[in-house]
Amino acid sequence: DTAVSQTPKYLVTQMGNDKSIKCEQNLGHDTMYWYKQDSKKFLKIMFSYNNKELIINETVPNRFSPKSPDKAHLNLHINSLELGDSAVYFCASSRLLLGYEQYFGPGTRLTVT
Amino acid sequence: AQTVTQSQPEMSVQEAETVTLSCTYDTSENNYYLFWYKQPPSRQMILVIRQEAYKQQNATENRFSVNFQKAAKSFSLKISDSQLGDTAMYFCAFMKHGNYGGSQGNLIFGKGTKLSVKP
C-alpha cells in the first residue's frame, strides 16, 4: 500500500494554464506539506497544513493555493503557470508532535513550456 | 532563521569503503531535530537517520551513523561498507522543536551532496 501518493507524477503544460496536483496519505498523520525542488535539487517548504488548517505559508506567489478537504488530502492548485514554476513538487506527511519523520510522496515533475 | 550547509556538492567512494558527508547548521534554538534524507535517481525521498538535539548519543542505523557535535553545530553522516545502491543525493535537514514536545513541522534542507559509489 502506498503511504503518500501524488497524482500526476508528470505534468507538462503551457504557460498561462491552471493545473492541480493531488496528494493523499493513508498513514493517519495530522500534518501535510508541499515542498518545491528546483532544477538544482534545492528543496524548500511551501505550505503546511495541520488538521486541515494552514500553519506554514512561506513566501510563495499567491498563484499557488493549497486546499485540504480533509486530513488525508492536500491538493495544490496553480494558476497562470509560468516558466519558473517548472520543478518537482513533493507532498509529505507526518505527525506534528515529537518531530517525527516526514514521509514523502514520489513527487510530481511539472514542466511549463 | 535557520540555515543548513552542505559543503560537498559531489563525492565518490569505492564500493565497500567508508565515506563521510558533512553538514553544518546555524540556529539559536536549543531543541531541534536533524535528519539525513536520501534521494536516489528514482526521485523518492527516503529517511536515512534522525537525531534529537537533546540526545548526546549519536544515532546509528545499520551501516549509517552520524557524528553530532552540538556545540560545533555539525551533523556528519558516515556510510560504512558503501554499496552501489547508496548512490544518491543526500540531504541534511533541520527541524525546529515546537511546544509541548512537538515540532514546528517544516524541514529546512541543505543543498545536498551527490554521492557516487563506484564498483
Side-chain angles (χ1 to χ4, degrees), chain A residues 35 37 96 98-99 102 104 107, chain B residues 37 39 43-44 50 101 105:
Chain A
Y35 289 87
Q37 186 173 42
L96 190 60
L98 303 179
Q102 294 182 12
F104 283 78
Chain B
Y37 276 86
Q39 186 179 38
R43 199 169 75 198
Q44 181 68 52
R50 172 180 175 267

Side-chain angles (χ1 to χ4, degrees), chain A residues 9-76:
Chain A
K9 289 195 179 148
Y10 298 93
L11 183 54
V12 180
T13 188
Q14 291 184 328
M15 284 175 57
N17 285 347
D18 302 340
K19 289 294 178 186
S20 292
I21 305 172
K22 295 186 176 182
C23 179
E24 177 181 2
Q25 55 96 1
N26 62 5
L27 297 167
H29 289 162
D30 58 4
T31 306
M32 297 184 72
Y33 312 82
W34 278 110
Y35 289 87
K36 178 180 180 180
Q37 186 173 42
D38 64 22
S39 58
K40 295 184 179 178
K41 301 286 189 182
F42 184 55
L43 274 152
K44 190 172 179 185
I45 185 77
M46 297 175 70
F47 301 101
S48 171
Y49 268 74
N50 175 250
N51 287 320
K52 296 173 30 179
E53 290 191 20
L54 183 66
I55 57 169
I56 295 172
N57 184 359
E58 292 295 306
T59 306
V60 174
N62 57 16
R63 298 181 295 102
F64 290 78
S65 54
K67 285 188 171 51
S68 182
D70 56 54
K71 285 200 306 184
H73 296 85
L74 180 62
N75 304 323
L76 183 65

Side-chain angles (χ1 to χ4, degrees), chain B residues 31-94:
Chain B
N31 291 324
Y32 47 87
Y33 307 91
L34 294 164
F35 304 82
W36 279 98
Y37 276 86
K38 166 185 176 180
Q39 186 179 38
S42 67
R43 199 169 75 198
Q44 181 68 52
M45 293 289 289
I46 303 162
L47 179 69
V48 175
I49 203 161
R50 172 180 175 267
Q51 175 84 41
E52 292 137 329
Y54 67 86
K55 288 188 177 178
Q56 291 188 332
Q57 187 172 5
N58 289 324
T60 61
E61 285 288 340
N62 301 315
R63 297 183 296 107
F64 299 88
S65 61
V66 296
N67 183 1
F68 174 47
Q69 302 287 330
K70 191 173 183 180
K73 296 179 183 173
S74 169
F75 183 60
S76 61
L77 175 70
K78 185 169 86 170
I79 306 174
S80 304
D81 185 25
S82 297
Q83 300 176 359
L84 296 177
D86 296 334
T87 293
M89 284 287 289
Y90 285 82
F91 293 96
C92 179
F94 173 99

